[in-house]
Amino acid sequence: MFDNIHLATIAIIAANVLVSIKGFEDRSFLERYKFSVGGIRSGQKERMLTSGFLHVDWTHLIFNMLTLYFFANTVISRMGAPKFLGIYAISLAAGSLLALFFHREEPYYSAVGASGAVTGVLYAAILLQPTMNLYLFFAVPIPAYIFGIGYLMYSIYGMKNRLGNIGHTAHFGGAIGGYVTTLIFLPYLFETETLMVGLLAIPIIVLFILQRSGKI
């Protein structure tokens, strides 16, 4: 299963595993480097990046790393490892920035996890191969672009209704990072995948409209 994993993917997974294990074993380390609105606003800006390598438990870590594994090669094969790493890093930052924007008046809001960065890679992969099948509940095939649009619309719903202990905002910000960075790296997609570029932008436009109208 893992015989075709790229060195860049291995490096990211290794960094997440090592930092997460440190956080599992040392609660003070987790508290110091997790995403915290209060901590960031007090000047600890590094939390916006370090939080993306911490996880609450093994289940959280394994789910994120498996998702990364399944979609990393799609991006690497089309764009190369350096651009893949760029997408990962920018998506991580974009997820933290959007979370900070939406929760800026909540000093006790905190989060951890690579979900923003991983969602950015996922959305980049969808943009590159929009008609590939993804499997809902591991059984129902669904075109990737429909999954991507549906996932972000659900994220908006989750943001609006504060559903579960999930960083919906970071997921959405990561997807924006992956989407925009992929188009910057491969601008010809505007011509070759015009329809998909437009369709995948719909949730982003919806979020912008809702935010501007004060409905989220």
Side-chain angles (χ1 to χ4, degrees), residues 61-82:
L61 172 63
I62 291 170
F63 180 82
N64 275 336
M65 295 303 98
L66 278 177
T67 304
L68 175 67
Y69 165 75
F70 285 129
F71 295 99
N73 274 0
T74 299
V75 179
I76 294 172
S77 65
R78 287 285 299 275
M79 305 179 71

Side-chain angles (χ1 to χ4, degrees), residues 36-59:
S36 164
V37 172
I40 292 168
R41 293 185 65 180
S42 72
Q44 297 171 347
K45 301 293 192 297
E46 68 279 2
R47 289 176 181 264
M48 297 182 71
L49 297 178
T50 56
S51 59
F53 293 90
L54 291 163
H55 292 80
V56 294
D57 54 33
W58 279 104
T59 300

Side-chain angles (χ1 to χ4, degrees), residues 126-197:
I126 292 172
L127 184 57
L128 293 169
Q129 291 189 17
T131 58
M132 67 177 171
N133 279 332
L134 302 183
Y135 288 86
L136 194 62
F137 305 118
F138 303 101
V140 182
I142 181 172
Y145 73 95
I146 293 177
F147 176 89
I149 294 169
Y151 180 77
L152 289 196
M153 295 303 289
Y154 172 74
S155 293
I156 292 174
Y157 178 77
M159 291 163 63
K160 186 175 177 62
N161 295 280
R162 301 297 181 96
L163 291 181
N165 188 28
I166 299 172
H168 297 287
T169 314
H171 294 181
F172 203 104
I176 293 175
Y179 175 82
V180 172
T181 307
T182 300
L183 290 174
I184 290 172
F185 285 154
L186 302 178
Y188 66 79
L189 291 173
F190 282 109
E191 296 182 9
T192 61
E193 297 288 353
T194 305
L195 177 60
M196 293 304 172
V197 168

